[in-house]
Amino acid sequence: MVLDSLGESLRSTLKKILRSTRVDKELIKDVVRDLQRALLKADVNVRLALEISKKVEKRALEEKPPPGKSMRDHLVRIIYEEIVRILGEEKKIELKRQKIMLVGLYGQGKTTTAAKLAKFFQRKGLSVCLVACDVHRPAAYHQLKQLAEKVGCGFFGIENEKDALKIARESEKYVKDYDVKIYDTSGRHSLEEDLIEEIKNLKKIIKPDEIYLVIDATMGQQAGPQAKAFHDAVGITGVIITKLDGTAKGGGALSAVAVTGAPVVFIGVGEHIEDLEHFDPPRFIARLLGMGDLQTLMEVAREIEMDEKRAEETAERLLSGKFNLKDMYEIYAELAKPGFLKKILSSLPFLNLLPQAQQPDEEEFARKLRKYRVIMDSMTYEELENPDIIKGSRIDRIARGSGMRPSDVRELLKEYSRMKSMMKSLKGNRRMMRMLKKQLRGFEMGGV
Ligand code: GDP
Ligand code: MG
């Protein structure tokens, strides 16, 4: 995946936070140092890296977490938000009829990207035509034509024609029925006067809705000044950063372009036609940090919180005979994790003690867990800690509150008694204790 090493260092920083017993000044300083190092390694500008780590430090020291959130969750959120911030705003891609002109220097990936964009819009149900306006490279016409055939979209070009303006003019009639027209243009080794002139003239004829500058990510921070120069010269509406798959400097290119105020619209992440992604900073960073979205991260956070120490405590508590509904719920939550049941059933001794008929399958477990969760949500804290007090009118109240039947509540209580007496029978069994500790540690860590 893109920016692997940045992702890796950020993920290990997050793990450090989530595994810590508490968030104090020392941890914050440590984390900020890690963050800085990770950003610099990804080629993010020194000043920018300092700025973001200062901001994280300040917020972490001053802000209180929102109600119901731990400081740990909040620190993770601060880091996430500040990294997202340096990547700028997302530019929405409108799925409408439009003309897109691609500009950029030699070898940055314009022609490849033209085909990738064609595929992108085609997949969204729009018809696309590629127009070959690169008249400087002899092979450009054929390269684009072949790509158009591969994508299965329209193509317009005039072989051996040296006047880009003429091609643009003549294409008009041909392309008018397509929804999306994408114009590939010539590059130069640098932004020279005659390239500026050519782009300006093409712009007058084509009247594009979007002018996207295509930049190679291996340029690192240099992508920033280049985006600015192009913007000042011809006015661009967005930047496409290519070859993010092949460089550790991607962080530099992305952040440097964002600083110029030109939104990064798409990123190229490989040589294939499918290797193009719409750039959405929050989602990009979420993925980099190894989470589907922030919600998932917070869930992961809670999972990791159950660290080695806690595994030991849980094991001790379970085997000391102090076993309440909350403990049972925790065990069920572990078991409901996909794929875990098989692993556990084969190795966790206390489950094997259940009669065969009660050794549940994964789906049943998940169902049961959901039901129990709903019921337990209607219990008071006192009831969860001392399930023995749940009798008579309490059962009716809990059933009403959770929308379940009293018999469901009784079933939960029965299950609890069964597990409790099983735990009791294991009390003082040192060998069992060791095994249980090992198990709890094993699958909690494995779940991260
Ligand atoms: P142009 O001169 O700007 O039109 O650049 P081309 O489209 O011809 O691309 C130059 C080279 O970069 C080609 O070899 C492409 O295969 C390669 N390329 C373009 N985009 C990407 C990308 O996102 N990832 C990788 N790995 N290679 C790319
Ligand atoms: Mg080209």
Side-chain angles (χ1 to χ4, degrees), residues 36-56:
Q36 228 174 66
R37 212 175 294 137
L39 292 171
L40 291 175
K41 224 172 97 193
D43 189 44
V44 171
N45 175 277
V46 179
R47 223 191 52 228
L48 195 59
L50 279 178
E51 204 176 287
I52 162 176
S53 36
K54 261 205 203 111
K55 189 96 181 276
V56 169

Side-chain angles (χ1 to χ4, degrees), residues 90-320:
E90 175 203 359
K91 178 173 160 120
K92 290 251 181 306
I93 307 297
E94 287 188 68
L95 299 178
K96 55 162 196 190
R97 289 177 71 86
Q98 59 190 299
K99 292 178 182 168
I100 299 171
M101 193 172 143
L102 297 181
V103 301
L105 302 180
Y106 278 146
Q108 305 284 303
K110 284 182 301 303
T111 306
T112 313
T113 303
K116 288 178 177 180
L117 281 173
K119 182 91 189 174
F120 175 89
F121 284 107
Q122 217 176 38
R123 256 206 220 117
K124 308 274 180 196
L126 295 166
S127 62
V128 185
C129 188
L130 288 169
V131 183
C133 291
D134 179 356
V135 292
H136 284 247
R137 288 223 158 144
Y141 169 91
H142 291 286
Q143 190 192 354
L144 193 68
K145 192 165 183 231
Q146 265 171 24
L147 285 167
E149 276 161 22
K150 203 160 154 191
V151 175
C153 66
F155 171 80
F156 182 85
I158 306 174
E159 202 175 355
N160 299 323
E161 175 56 60
K162 289 290 166 217
D163 183 358
L165 303 182
K166 186 176 170 201
I167 299 172
R169 243 180 259 121
E170 300 218 346
S171 73
E172 249 169 87
K173 257 219 305 278
Y174 182 83
V175 303
K176 69 177 189 330
D177 290 333
Y178 289 96
D179 296 324
V180 180
K181 298 99 170 160
I182 300 168
Y183 299 82
D184 186 23
T185 65
S186 310
R188 298 291 190 283
H189 287 297
S190 63
L191 186 55
E192 295 155 20
E193 207 40 59
D194 78 313
L195 176 59
I196 296 176
E197 205 52 34
E198 186 175 313
I199 296 171
K200 280 184 173 165
N201 288 329
L202 273 172
K203 195 173 152 182
K204 270 186 216 143
I205 296 169
I206 296 170
K207 297 188 193 68
D209 300 278
E210 308 286 355
I211 301 183
Y212 292 151
L213 171 66
V214 179
I215 296 186
D216 180 335
T218 55
M219 295 188 54
Q221 291 175 40
Q222 278 311 307
Q226 191 181 115
K228 189 172 181 319
F230 265 91
H231 187 61
D232 293 346
V234 297
I236 53 175
T237 63
V239 177
I240 298 178
I241 298 184
T242 62
K243 307 183 200 179
L244 263 173
D245 52 308
T247 176
K249 287 182 163 185
L254 285 167
S255 56
V257 168
V259 167
T260 69
V264 177
V265 202
F266 286 98
I267 52 175
V269 295
E271 293 193 51
H272 298 290
I273 282 173
E274 295 79 26
D275 298 334
L276 182 80
E277 291 175 15
H278 171 221
F279 187 64
D280 171 358
R283 280 193 48 203
F284 180 77
I285 293 302
R287 235 180 45 202
L288 199 62
L289 297 179
M291 54 198 191
D293 51 41
L294 198 60
Q295 201 58 39
T296 324
L297 176 73
M298 293 311 170
E299 274 157 29
V300 171
R302 271 188 288 278
E303 275 171 34
I304 310 175
E305 264 172 36
M306 188 128 167
D307 57 9
E308 205 157 321
K309 195 158 147 262
R310 186 137 162 249
E312 205 142 303
E313 282 168 10
T314 308
E316 302 254 4
R317 197 171 64 245
L318 294 183
L319 293 179
S320 72

Side-chain angles (χ1 to χ4, degrees), residues 388-441:
D388 295 336
I389 63 171
I390 305 176
K391 290 190 178 97
S393 65
R394 279 184 195 261
I395 290 182
D396 292 337
R397 193 208 78 235
I398 293 166
R400 258 199 320 280
S402 58
M404 299 280 171
R405 289 167 308 206
S407 60
D408 293 320
V409 181
R410 267 184 232 107
E411 178 198 307
L412 165 68
L413 292 172
K414 228 170 158 179
E415 180 98 12
Y416 161 72
S417 305
R418 220 173 11 235
M419 273 189 120
K420 185 174 175 176
S421 62
M422 191 171 74
M423 289 300 166
K424 242 188 203 148
S425 73
L426 298 179
K427 190 177 163 188
N429 185 329
R430 296 206 159 272
R431 201 176 72 91
M432 195 61 81
M433 175 86 135
R434 266 201 311 276
M435 276 168 83
L436 185 58
K437 273 186 200 169
K438 205 167 138 235
Q439 274 309 318
L440 284 168
R441 261 205 308 273

Side-chain angles (χ1 to χ4, degrees), residues 7-25:
E8 217 167 275
S9 15
L10 290 176
R11 283 195 298 275
S12 84
T13 305
L14 293 196
K15 275 188 191 159
K16 196 182 270 183
I17 299 172
L18 301 168
R19 292 217 167 100
S20 64
T21 37
R22 66 192 189 103
V23 175
D24 53 15
K25 234 180 171 159

